[in-house]
Amino acid sequence: MKHSFSDLTMWVVSICVFAAVFICIICNLAVTNTIGWLVYPVCSLLFGWLVLMPVLYYKKRGLKVSLGIITALLLPFLLVLDQFNGAAEWFLPIGVPIAATGIIFMWVLYGLLIGQRSIWLTLPAVIFLSGLLCICIDQIIKNALGEAGFPWGYLVASITSLIAIIISVLGFVLKKRSVQTE
């Protein structure tokens, strides 16, 4: 029976993740005799494992499955982390809006990257959109906390917009030169 490199990688990653989970459980129980801090690393390890496995197993075809898992499980994952400490302070005002914004951004990027477009169009679009994401996250945090503060999101968006413009101009110039030399 022949095993592929991806099968071996999946097994190694799985063994490492579940060994780490087991070590967290043993250490936490040995130190505190309760289920304390281990919820954070165990949930994170299992979430990461679930996201990684489709990509390891299906390669490029698994990326869409992994993104679907992130979409389906991100809010429950964040809720578990927020509920564990009993305070439930950040999930609704910050976690849900930022997760929703991140999920939308992730799928837009996926759509941009799987399309057959020029790198000179795709790269500036990704960079520009990352600046918009920073504005959204900055506004969500400021609204949730009721604070004004320095507009970091706008600063980042200005810089990423400038970089996107430079890359677009560079792509246009290089494309024009390659057409002229033909």
Side-chain angles (χ1 to χ4, degrees):
M1 182 173 193
K2 184 179 176 186
H3 294 283
S4 70
F5 179 73
S6 65
D7 291 342
L8 179 63
T9 304
M10 285 176 41
W11 276 103
V12 169
V13 168
S14 296
I15 289 168
C16 289
V17 165
F18 289 105
V21 166
F22 183 70
I23 289 168
C24 287
I25 292 169
I26 296 298
C27 290
N28 191 207
L29 290 175
V31 171
T32 65
N33 273 345
T34 63
I35 297 175
W37 54 264
L38 77 91
V39 170
Y40 300 108
V42 168
C43 287
S44 299
L45 285 162
L46 294 176
F47 182 76
W49 181 79
L50 285 169
V51 170
L52 186 59
M53 281 301 112
V55 174
L56 290 177
Y57 187 75
Y58 294 113
K59 307 283 187 254
K60 284 184 181 180
R61 294 176 299 150
L63 180 59
K64 196 172 191 177
V65 175
S66 289
L67 296 180
I69 290 170
I70 291 171
T71 302
L73 296 182
L74 183 59
L75 287 176
F77 169 71
L78 293 174
L79 181 61
V80 167
L81 296 183
D82 187 45
Q83 293 293 312
F84 178 70
N85 68 3
E89 298 172 350
W90 54 264
F91 178 72
L92 284 176
I94 297 174
V96 170
I98 289 177
T101 304
I103 288 168
I104 291 166
F105 179 75
M106 174 185 74
W107 283 106
V108 168
L109 283 185
Y110 177 76
L112 280 172
L113 294 174
I114 63 164
Q116 299 296 324
R117 292 174 194 82
S118 164
I119 189 70
W120 298 110
L121 293 174
T122 305
L123 184 60
V126 169
I127 292 170
F128 176 75
L129 288 172
S130 67
L132 291 181
L133 177 67
C134 289
I135 290 174
C136 292
I137 291 172
D138 192 35
Q139 288 304 122
I140 290 167
I141 292 170
K142 285 178 182 170
N143 289 339
L145 299 178
E147 297 177 5
F150 188 79
W152 290 107
Y154 290 102
L155 176 64
V156 172
S158 300
I159 294 168
T160 56
S161 296
L162 179 62
I163 292 169
I165 290 168
I166 291 169
I167 292 171
S168 296
V169 169
L170 179 64
F172 177 76
V173 168
L174 291 174
K175 189 173 183 178
K176 193 170 186 175
R177 279 189 185 166
S178 69
V179 169
Q180 288 175 350
T181 59
E182 290 176 359

